[in-house]
Amino acid sequence: MTQQPISILVGSNNPVKIGAARDAIALYFPDAHIECHGMHAPSLVAEQPMTEAETKLGAINRAKFCQQYAIEHHQPASFYIAMEGGVDQFEHGAATFAYMAIIHQGKLSIGRSALLPLPPKVFQALEGGEELGHVMDRLFNTENIKQKGGAIGLLTQGLATRGSIYTQAIVLAMAPFINPAFFAE
């Protein structure tokens, strides 16, 4: 008996985000054939979200866009997954993080990554309108780091990467779908 493939539509063409979605779902369904594709999905928030609320909204908007696109094109997916990176000023200082939005069978689950402290001069550049990836590229003399290890990889000497953090946050956000009886209303 062949298992139905699991299809994932990711609200980004960034290979790090597509890989994180695929890797997280594969952890839960190791024997499944997983089809994972990305697409441009507008966040409808700033290019560099500067608050938790704006970051979360960006992820939700992207996931909902994927779902709507799939419905309109008669190409439903098992999971619609979107990730939005942002920054905010906390009591302990500025930090970056990402929100995950997952839609499965019409239900939405939200997750968030761990916080990565940011150097004050990086946060100041972001407040000035720059995007984190560009600031980190300039600071560390890298190119397009946001489609590689990200600021996380640079600031942790590669011990954590954008992909590893996104994968972990998606695994956590999947909890309601893996344990539906516990999350039933």
Side-chain angles (χ1 to χ4, degrees), residues 71-100:
I71 290 168
E72 289 173 3
H73 290 84
H74 307 289
Q75 299 174 334
S78 309
F79 296 96
Y80 305 97
I81 301 178
M83 295 146 252
E84 186 74 27
V87 298
D88 207 338
Q89 183 69 255
F90 297 91
E91 185 180 321
H92 50 79
T96 185
F97 50 87
Y99 268 94
M100 312 294 124

Side-chain angles (χ1 to χ4, degrees), residues 6-154:
I6 295 174
S7 58
I8 307 166
L9 186 54
V10 179
S12 175
N13 286 314
N14 184 321
V16 172
K17 293 181 178 185
I18 295 167
R22 183 184 54 249
D23 293 349
I25 300 302
L27 288 169
Y28 279 115
F29 306 101
D31 298 326
H33 173 70
I34 297 173
E35 297 171 356
C36 187
H37 303 283
M39 68 173 294
H40 171 72
S43 68
L44 307 178
V45 298
E47 281 291 314
Q48 178 58 71
M50 295 296 291
T51 66
E52 276 199 276
E54 185 181 22
T55 306
K56 180 169 62 172
L57 180 60
I60 293 168
N61 288 343
R62 289 181 195 270
K64 286 181 176 179
F65 182 91
C66 289
Q67 180 186 37
Q68 189 61 41
Y69 176 90
I71 290 168
E72 289 173 3
H73 290 84
H74 307 289
Q75 299 174 334
S78 309
F79 296 96
Y80 305 97
I81 301 178
M83 295 146 252
E84 186 74 27
V87 298
D88 207 338
Q89 183 69 255
F90 297 91
E91 185 180 321
H92 50 79
T96 185
F97 50 87
Y99 268 94
M100 312 294 124
I102 305 173
I103 300 173
H104 174 65
Q105 297 178 344
K107 294 191 170 132
L108 173 68
S109 180
I110 303 293
R112 198 196 80 190
S113 73
L115 296 175
L116 173 70
L118 286 176
K121 71 178 179 179
V122 170
F123 188 71
Q124 289 164 0
L126 301 178
E127 286 182 310
E130 293 189 64
E131 198 177 335
L132 182 58
H134 301 297
V135 175
M136 297 308 289
D137 280 340
R138 187 175 65 246
L139 192 63
F140 283 85
N141 198 26
T142 54
E143 188 175 321
N144 201 13
I145 197 63
K146 73 180 190 173
Q147 290 199 1
K148 300 171 189 163
I152 296 163
L154 292 173

